[in-house]
Amino acid sequence: MSEAPPEILLLKTMHPLVEAAFEARFTVHRLAGVADPQAKLAEIGPRIRGLCVGGQVDAALMDKLPKLELIANFGVGYDGVDAAEAHRRGIVVTNTPDVLTDEVADLAVGLVLATVRRLPQADRYLRAGHWPKAPFPLTASLRGRRVGILGLGRIGQAIAHRLESFGVTIDYHGRSRKAGIAYTYHDSLIAMARAVHILIVVAPGGDDTRKLVDAPVLEALGPEGILINVARGSLVDEAALIAALQAGTILEAGLDVFENEPHVPAELAALDNTVLLPHVGSASEHTRTAMAQLVVDNVLSWFEGRGPLTPVTETPWSPPA
Ligand code: 8YV
């Protein structure tokens, strides 16, 4: 008799490629749409060996999944998964690095251009029929600007690389200076905010970076300053940002991420100096398909005994000796 297929739990509806690949190979359980998810968890939890998520996984959930071996996160950012706790329990966590780097970097550059040159505002101006009456007001410019990148990881470097072609100067801040990188390093975020005109947030979310961009950092960015966030809403003190935008102590903000997604404060939407996107950094057909394939490849590789392809740093893996 052949072995029963591993049982996998999907916390929400996943990309169709993930759903189809798992259906073909595993016994798949879903919590989405279930009337009593806790009862369902109590019933199937003891048999679950793989968990596929784009969201929160804490110790309480892991308690209900005593045979869990692998948590496959759909996305490069895994701040929702308690990876340190997973490591303590011998559970491997995987994410989807690299395949979305270029897409997110493109979007960040799009937000830079959209905020500096006020592209959505100009579009609205034209559609509202104002152009025949008066030209659109002159905007800020990228000429002679300095850009600070908070988090010069893979995506941060891809953004910097693109921005070099615009002739801007690049600075960065992170936990440590990067070897072999010629951009100016600041060991303090507030010092970098003071030095640059545009601050791009692209560092990981989580407790270590919560509200790093606070009122003093925004004040340091100054009245010509533009804040771009393509990372996580948790890195920015949203109330302080709203206050700074309302008071004009910074010029504009371009945001793809928010503190409480998918809910966006009405104050941000009411402002004319914001460009707001519904967390679409990686949301192209091409890139979401590549992310889905990497999730599938990680899970198949694990259950075929070949180990994870892209484990996160907290749960390193090496083949059994
Ligand atoms: C999301 C992202 O994961 O990769 C990340 O960290 O923020 C996004 O790509 C995406 O929304 C998947 O649901």
Side-chain angles (χ1 to χ4, degrees):
M1 207 174 84
S2 67
E3 219 181 284
E7 302 200 25
I8 302 278
L9 175 62
L10 309 186
L11 282 193
K12 62 177 193 183
T13 305
M14 304 303 295
H15 188 284
L17 192 150
V18 174
E19 297 265 348
F22 286 3
E23 282 291 349
R25 176 71 178 71
F26 305 114
T27 300
V28 180
H29 301 279
R30 296 180 170 76
L31 284 192
V34 168
D36 187 348
Q38 289 308 323
K40 170 102 181 175
L41 259 182
E43 179 211 326
I44 59 160
R47 305 196 303 271
I48 297 297
R49 294 173 59 197
L51 182 62
C52 186
V53 298
Q56 302 296 314
V57 184
D58 57 11
L61 177 57
M62 293 181 214
D63 281 344
K64 298 189 173 107
L65 310 171
K67 290 217 176 72
L68 190 61
E69 300 165 29
L70 181 75
I71 301 171
N73 186 63
F74 191 108
V76 68
Y78 54 96
D79 46 308
V81 178
D82 188 342
E85 180 59 31
H87 182 55
R88 268 192 290 280
R89 295 170 186 237
I91 300 167
V92 170
V93 179
T94 62
N95 66 342
T96 62
D98 301 320
V99 291
L100 46 58
T101 298
D102 286 330
E103 210 70 82
V104 179
D106 288 355
L107 191 95
V109 172
L111 275 175
V112 169
L113 295 174
T115 48
V116 172
R117 301 301 311 278
R118 294 174 58 80
L119 301 183
Q121 294 89 334
D123 176 278
R124 290 199 290 272
Y125 185 89
L126 179 152
R127 288 170 200 259
H130 297 317
W131 190 12
K133 292 172 242 157
F136 186 68
L138 302 183
T139 68
S141 168
L142 266 187
R143 310 284 74 74
R145 300 282 94 169
R146 212 172 173 114
V147 179
I149 299 186
L150 169 55
L152 199 68
R154 284 175 278 228
I155 301 175
Q157 289 184 41
I159 294 169
H161 187 229
R162 283 159 173 71
L163 287 177
E164 277 184 42
S165 65
F166 290 87
V168 297
T169 307
I170 314 268
D171 294 20
Y172 73 102
H173 168 69
R175 272 174 307 193
S176 56
R177 186 188 295 271
K178 301 259 171 195
I181 298 262
Y183 309 136
T184 304
Y185 175 69
H186 297 264
D187 60 11
S188 116
L189 175 57
I190 199 156
M192 181 169 82
R194 217 170 277 128
V196 302
H197 307 96
I198 299 171
L199 174 59
I200 303 182
V201 180
V202 67
D207 289 339
D208 293 351
T209 57
R210 200 168 302 283
K211 296 196 187 200
L212 268 188
V213 179
D214 56 8
V217 168
L218 293 168
E219 200 187 328
L221 191 56
E224 284 187 85
I226 293 178
L227 178 77
I228 305 293
N229 189 1
V230 293
R232 285 291 180 265
S234 61
L235 282 110
V236 175
D237 181 338
E238 216 163 62
L241 175 63
I242 291 167
L245 288 163
Q246 284 170 339
T249 47
I250 70 165
L251 188 66
E252 295 233 9
L255 308 173
D256 187 42
V257 289
F258 303 88
E259 250 176 42
N260 182 28
E261 295 175 10
H263 307 288
V264 176
E267 292 96 326
L268 278 178
L271 284 163
D272 187 49
N273 54 351
T274 55
V275 177
L276 308 175
L277 303 179
H279 199 149
V280 291
S282 67
S284 69
E285 292 282 353
H286 171 93
T287 292
R288 283 291 166 82
T289 301
M291 290 163 71
Q293 189 61 56
L294 186 50
V295 167
V296 168
D297 291 346
N298 264 298
V299 176
L300 289 184
S301 179
W302 177 261
F303 285 107
E304 285 164 7
R306 290 178 280 115
L309 299 181
T310 50
V312 304
T313 47
E314 291 87 341
T315 65
W317 188 86
S318 44

